[in-house]
Amino acid sequence: MNFGDSKLRYVNTSTPRLVHTNSKQSITASDDYYSLTSEGSSNNDDRNIVQRYQTPPLRMRSADPSRDALQSEATIPTVRPVKHQDPGDDEKPEVPIRNEQHRIPRKPVSSSSSDGTIVRRPVSEIISPPTPGVDDTPYIQFAIDQLTRDEEVAGLRHPGNSSTYPVERIIPDEGLGYYGTRQQGQPLRPQDTRTESPPTENILHSTKPTTETFRHPKLNFVPHSLQFVSLGALIFCCLFMIAGLLFCAIYPYSHLGLWQYDGTGTSRYFVFEYLPTLLASFIIIWLQIIQSAMHRVVPFMILSSGRSIGNSGVLHDMTLFPVTYLIPNLSFFSYQEPLLGLCSIIFWLEIFTLPLQSCLFQTRYYNSENIWRWTAVQPIAWTLFVLYLLLLVALLLLLVRFVPRQTGLKWDPVSLADILSLFHRSNFLSDFARSEMHTSSIRQHTAKHLRLGYWNTSKQANEAFYGIGEENAPVPRFSLEQGKIAPNTGHDLEAQEPMKASTFDTLKDVHDLALRYRWTPWFLRDGMVVAWIVIAIVLMIAFIVVSFVNHAVQRGFLPLLPAPTTTEGFSPADFLYSFIPSLIGMLLFLLWQPVDLYFRALQPFASLAHRDGASAEQSLLLDYTACLPIEVTIKALLNRHYKLAYISFISLLSLTLPVLAGGIFTAQFVVERQDIRVIASMPGYYALVLFVVIYAVSFIVIWPTRKRRLPHDISTLGQLVSFVYQSPLLMETAFAEPTSKTDLVTKLLGTPAGEKETPRYAFKVYVGRDAKEHLGIDRLERFTRFTARGRIDHLRTGSPRHGDLA
């Protein structure tokens, strides 16, 4: 092509040398920023695995492409111009490169010089300098936008932040007057500083339905053992006992005793030696049932009380069943329940009524009539009168506390399913992180104000639901999205450093068999069980040898204490050999109670630990901790839980030990020897020996298997929740606000829509709602694989790659 006489200056086409500089720009402003570590440590492989974040467009793209192009050119930062050199220069040009996001390639613009030479110049050299009076707000807003965009992207990534990036953002100028209203021909007029409120969170608020409906009934359920009829019946029994004690204490003063003595092993002997202790044992069993109901209900009553103090400690400190009856439960005083604390102390004192009843009546010789007659021991009679009067006061206090008050319950929370239904939409379950293996990790969150009752959210103010939640706290996003949240990555992209290693300790712990089977009650550990067996067998042999060698029991033995009965009916020898044996028998009875209680509580987990899991009826709906003593045995036999059936039966049978032991020995005058000896009633003694042998051998049965071992205790509400806080089981429709206990049982026992079999549940490793592995309770899923031999069905929780820990 001929250009005439014009001379052309050629653009330098030599290979440029690139100088890489470390950019400190935001990750959101760079499309090529991949490094997660320090400078210079990135490589090509990192680009394939790192999730990239892109800055959203500032405004919506218009339909006019030319307008978008103009807006893009106006908002792109200036690029430093390229330094040109002549082709003959030895030094190669330096072209600093800067990676930018949303950059549009800028083509050099050709222009002619005065001598006709065509010169290619970048656009940045042609753009004119800013004109005075032109609004620079868009440029300033762009700069502020890039400086603050990082924090918002980080907010999107962190769990629990439900904010989204707005299309139109207003950045506060903090009084600097960067932007404002402007009219033609007038200078820029600064606006008042105004900040746009962030997107409103979905807050959980306590509410109270205006009308009582079938779905929203009054929250005043009281267990049957704490209702007016049950407590009234026990009050009547106490009044009957008090009246009988008054009669037995007053009548002998005006008469010669109560009844004529006719020897041992007779019906009268049974009435005075065994009947009082049987009546006392009946009341003690009744009190244990009441205490079990108190422990089961009081934590929920405190949560529903709406007290201003932080009450989340109730989840971790108050047990759902009596751990032991050997000592009184004083934890009620710590949670502003003095009436219940006082009742607990009085109930503990009633333990001594049974040994005292065993020595309430003694025989006395009346010289005026030259006859032996039964009479009441005055000091013991009046002591029992005071104890039963205190019990009467305690029962009246229970009536005051439970009958007219709100408990916060729709029905009795006797099973795991009842408890799970209360946490279906809880907003504080994130506090239980890693608690399935380490319960100490949740004790730092004891200052929150939790509540049991009806709730609504700020976005659904007209819809009320029932459960336990944290008041005036945001609702987690996964609860609104049915648990479908994106899994977290292993690095914090904004902080450019790995997350703490403790976040992933649970991934290792849930597969650690030593941690999985590390806990069992101290009295059921292998060493302690061996000790119980050895001690029980040795004492049983010693008891039998001492009793029958040389016919010591039949012939009697010296009392070693004064035997004559005083005018008040008290005999030191008779008191010693009645009260002490009965007290020992009572101690044996109380020692067996924790074994029975823990086997009841552990049975659902033992069923869930089976390789094939268990149905809801055999696991989640078991209510052994709330059953009556004989009812536990019958239900366990029907459910084929034979070990529990035997242990619960021994728990009731062991109550015969203090009854029999307190009425066997009496001090009598032996004519052949002409001295006083302590002689046993042989029918009662043979029965006592039989029950002692059964009791001692039963310690062999209590050896716990691996199915009854857990990572930690299960006596509190928080410890139970730690096994389900991330379980998808909480999001199932069966636990979605059941209207009644019947509704809950029907949903759990029925077959869900689209399934052919009744669901089964297991205690194993599962994938939680946070897409991480956890140990706890979840549905047992069925998956199928095909082999050369045909189809094989497997039952397992979570994905097929998880191992079986049962």
Side-chain angles (χ1 to χ4, degrees), residues 538-557 665 685 689:
V538 170
L539 292 180
M540 178 194 67
I541 294 174
F543 174 70
I544 295 175
V545 170
V546 172
S547 300
F548 294 101
V549 171
N550 296 327
H551 303 280
V553 175
Q554 294 92 329
R555 295 178 180 179
F557 53 90
F665 297 104
Y685 196 82
V689 171

Short mmCIF file of all heavy atoms in Angstrom, two decimals, residues 538-557 665 685 689:
data_model
loop_
_atom_site.label_atom_id
_atom_site.label_comp_id
_atom_site.label_asym_id
_atom_site.label_seq_id
_atom_site.Cartn_x
_atom_site.Cartn_y
_atom_site.Cartn_z
N VAL A 538 -18.62 -63.10 98.77
CA VAL A 538 -17.93 -63.35 100.04
C VAL A 538 -18.86 -63.10 101.22
O VAL A 538 -18.94 -63.91 102.17
CB VAL A 538 -16.67 -62.47 100.13
CG1 VAL A 538 -16.08 -62.52 101.54
CG2 VAL A 538 -15.63 -62.92 99.11
N LEU A 539 -19.57 -61.99 101.20
CA LEU A 539 -20.50 -61.69 102.30
C LEU A 539 -21.63 -62.70 102.36
O LEU A 539 -22.09 -63.06 103.46
CB LEU A 539 -21.05 -60.27 102.14
CG LEU A 539 -20.05 -59.14 102.34
CD1 LEU A 539 -20.74 -57.79 102.14
CD2 LEU A 539 -19.41 -59.21 103.72
N MET A 540 -22.09 -63.16 101.22
CA MET A 540 -23.16 -64.16 101.22
C MET A 540 -22.68 -65.45 101.87
O MET A 540 -23.40 -66.04 102.71
CB MET A 540 -23.60 -64.43 99.78
CG MET A 540 -24.68 -65.49 99.66
SD MET A 540 -24.90 -66.07 97.96
CE MET A 540 -23.33 -66.91 97.70
N ILE A 541 -21.47 -65.88 101.51
CA ILE A 541 -20.94 -67.12 102.11
C ILE A 541 -20.74 -66.95 103.60
O ILE A 541 -21.09 -67.83 104.41
CB ILE A 541 -19.63 -67.50 101.41
CG1 ILE A 541 -19.90 -67.86 99.95
CG2 ILE A 541 -18.96 -68.67 102.13
CD1 ILE A 541 -18.65 -68.13 99.14
N ALA A 542 -20.21 -65.81 104.00
CA ALA A 542 -20.01 -65.57 105.43
C ALA A 542 -21.34 -65.55 106.18
O ALA A 542 -21.45 -66.08 107.30
CB ALA A 542 -19.27 -64.25 105.62
N PHE A 543 -22.35 -64.94 105.60
CA PHE A 543 -23.66 -64.88 106.22
C PHE A 543 -24.24 -66.28 106.41
O PHE A 543 -24.79 -66.61 107.48
CB PHE A 543 -24.59 -64.03 105.36
CG PHE A 543 -26.00 -64.02 105.82
CD1 PHE A 543 -26.38 -63.38 106.99
CD2 PHE A 543 -26.98 -64.67 105.08
CE1 PHE A 543 -27.70 -63.37 107.41
CE2 PHE A 543 -28.30 -64.68 105.49
CZ PHE A 543 -28.66 -64.02 106.66
N ILE A 544 -24.12 -67.13 105.41
CA ILE A 544 -24.66 -68.49 105.51
C ILE A 544 -23.89 -69.31 106.53
O ILE A 544 -24.48 -70.06 107.34
CB ILE A 544 -24.64 -69.16 104.12
CG1 ILE A 544 -25.60 -68.41 103.17
CG2 ILE A 544 -25.02 -70.62 104.22
CD1 ILE A 544 -25.56 -68.93 101.75
N VAL A 545 -22.56 -69.17 106.51
CA VAL A 545 -21.74 -69.96 107.44
C VAL A 545 -22.04 -69.58 108.88
O VAL A 545 -22.26 -70.45 109.75
CB VAL A 545 -20.25 -69.76 107.11
CG1 VAL A 545 -19.38 -70.36 108.21
CG2 VAL A 545 -19.92 -70.39 105.76
N VAL A 546 -22.07 -68.28 109.16
CA VAL A 546 -22.33 -67.83 110.53
C VAL A 546 -23.73 -68.23 110.99
O VAL A 546 -23.96 -68.53 112.17
CB VAL A 546 -22.13 -66.30 110.62
CG1 VAL A 546 -22.59 -65.78 111.98
CG2 VAL A 546 -20.68 -65.95 110.39
N SER A 547 -24.66 -68.28 110.07
CA SER A 547 -26.05 -68.56 110.44
C SER A 547 -26.29 -70.02 110.78
O SER A 547 -27.05 -70.33 111.72
CB SER A 547 -26.99 -68.15 109.29
OG SER A 547 -26.86 -66.77 109.02
N PHE A 548 -25.64 -70.94 110.08
CA PHE A 548 -26.03 -72.34 110.20
C PHE A 548 -24.95 -73.22 110.82
O PHE A 548 -25.25 -74.38 111.17
CB PHE A 548 -26.40 -72.89 108.82
CG PHE A 548 -27.62 -72.25 108.25
CD1 PHE A 548 -27.53 -71.25 107.29
CD2 PHE A 548 -28.88 -72.61 108.70
CE1 PHE A 548 -28.66 -70.66 106.76
CE2 PHE A 548 -30.02 -72.02 108.17
CZ PHE A 548 -29.91 -71.03 107.21
N VAL A 549 -23.73 -72.76 110.93
CA VAL A 549 -22.72 -73.56 111.61
C VAL A 549 -23.04 -73.60 113.10
O VAL A 549 -23.27 -72.56 113.73
CB VAL A 549 -21.32 -72.99 111.35
CG1 VAL A 549 -20.28 -73.68 112.24
CG2 VAL A 549 -20.96 -73.15 109.89
N ASN A 550 -23.04 -74.77 113.66
CA ASN A 550 -23.35 -75.02 115.08
C ASN A 550 -24.76 -74.55 115.45
O ASN A 550 -25.03 -74.28 116.63
CB ASN A 550 -22.34 -74.33 115.99
CG ASN A 550 -20.93 -74.89 115.80
OD1 ASN A 550 -20.77 -76.10 115.52
ND2 ASN A 550 -19.93 -74.04 115.92
N HIS A 551 -25.63 -74.40 114.44
CA HIS A 551 -27.03 -74.02 114.70
C HIS A 551 -27.12 -72.73 115.52
O HIS A 551 -27.91 -72.62 116.47
CB HIS A 551 -27.77 -75.14 115.42
CG HIS A 551 -27.74 -76.43 114.68
ND1 HIS A 551 -28.56 -76.72 113.62
CD2 HIS A 551 -26.96 -77.55 114.86
CE1 HIS A 551 -28.31 -77.94 113.17
NE2 HIS A 551 -27.33 -78.46 113.90
N ALA A 552 -26.31 -71.75 115.13
CA ALA A 552 -26.23 -70.52 115.91
C ALA A 552 -27.55 -69.77 115.90
O ALA A 552 -27.96 -69.20 116.91
CB ALA A 552 -25.11 -69.64 115.36
N VAL A 553 -28.24 -69.79 114.77
CA VAL A 553 -29.48 -69.02 114.69
C VAL A 553 -30.61 -69.73 115.41
O VAL A 553 -31.40 -69.11 116.14
CB VAL A 553 -29.84 -68.78 113.21
CG1 VAL A 553 -31.20 -68.08 113.09
CG2 VAL A 553 -28.77 -67.95 112.51
N GLN A 554 -30.68 -71.06 115.24
CA GLN A 554 -31.78 -71.79 115.88
C GLN A 554 -31.66 -71.76 117.40
O GLN A 554 -32.67 -71.61 118.12
CB GLN A 554 -31.81 -73.25 115.40
CG GLN A 554 -32.16 -73.42 113.94
CD GLN A 554 -30.90 -73.45 113.06
OE1 GLN A 554 -29.90 -72.81 113.40
NE2 GLN A 554 -30.98 -74.19 111.96
N ARG A 555 -30.43 -71.92 117.91
CA ARG A 555 -30.25 -71.96 119.36
C ARG A 555 -30.19 -70.58 119.98
O ARG A 555 -30.35 -70.44 121.19
CB ARG A 555 -28.96 -72.72 119.68
CG ARG A 555 -29.03 -74.19 119.28
CD ARG A 555 -27.71 -74.89 119.57
NE ARG A 555 -27.75 -76.29 119.17
CZ ARG A 555 -26.71 -77.12 119.30
NH1 ARG A 555 -25.56 -76.67 119.79
NH2 ARG A 555 -26.83 -78.38 118.91
N GLY A 556 -29.91 -69.59 119.16
CA GLY A 556 -29.83 -68.23 119.68
C GLY A 556 -28.42 -67.85 120.10
O GLY A 556 -27.53 -68.70 120.21
N PHE A 557 -28.22 -66.58 120.39
CA PHE A 557 -26.91 -66.08 120.81
C PHE A 557 -27.15 -64.98 121.83
O PHE A 557 -28.24 -64.38 121.91
CB PHE A 557 -26.11 -65.55 119.62
CG PHE A 557 -26.83 -64.53 118.77
CD1 PHE A 557 -26.73 -63.17 119.04
CD2 PHE A 557 -27.63 -64.93 117.72
CE1 PHE A 557 -27.40 -62.24 118.28
CE2 PHE A 557 -28.31 -64.01 116.94
CZ PHE A 557 -28.19 -62.66 117.22
N PHE A 665 -35.24 -61.18 114.36
CA PHE A 665 -34.61 -61.43 115.66
C PHE A 665 -35.41 -60.77 116.78
O PHE A 665 -35.84 -59.61 116.67
CB PHE A 665 -33.18 -60.89 115.67
CG PHE A 665 -32.28 -61.56 114.67
CD1 PHE A 665 -31.94 -60.90 113.50
CD2 PHE A 665 -31.79 -62.84 114.91
CE1 PHE A 665 -31.10 -61.51 112.59
CE2 PHE A 665 -30.96 -63.45 113.99
CZ PHE A 665 -30.62 -62.78 112.82
N TYR A 685 -36.32 -66.30 108.46
CA TYR A 685 -34.88 -66.36 108.23
C TYR A 685 -34.55 -67.15 106.97
O TYR A 685 -33.64 -66.76 106.21
CB TYR A 685 -34.19 -66.98 109.44
CG TYR A 685 -32.70 -66.72 109.45
CD1 TYR A 685 -32.19 -65.51 109.92
CD2 TYR A 685 -31.81 -67.69 109.00
CE1 TYR A 685 -30.83 -65.28 109.93
CE2 TYR A 685 -30.44 -67.45 109.01
CZ TYR A 685 -29.96 -66.25 109.48
OH TYR A 685 -28.61 -66.01 109.48
N VAL A 689 -32.48 -65.71 103.74
CA VAL A 689 -31.30 -66.33 103.14
C VAL A 689 -31.49 -66.52 101.64
O VAL A 689 -30.58 -66.27 100.84
CB VAL A 689 -30.99 -67.67 103.84
CG1 VAL A 689 -29.90 -68.43 103.08
CG2 VAL A 689 -30.57 -67.44 105.28
#
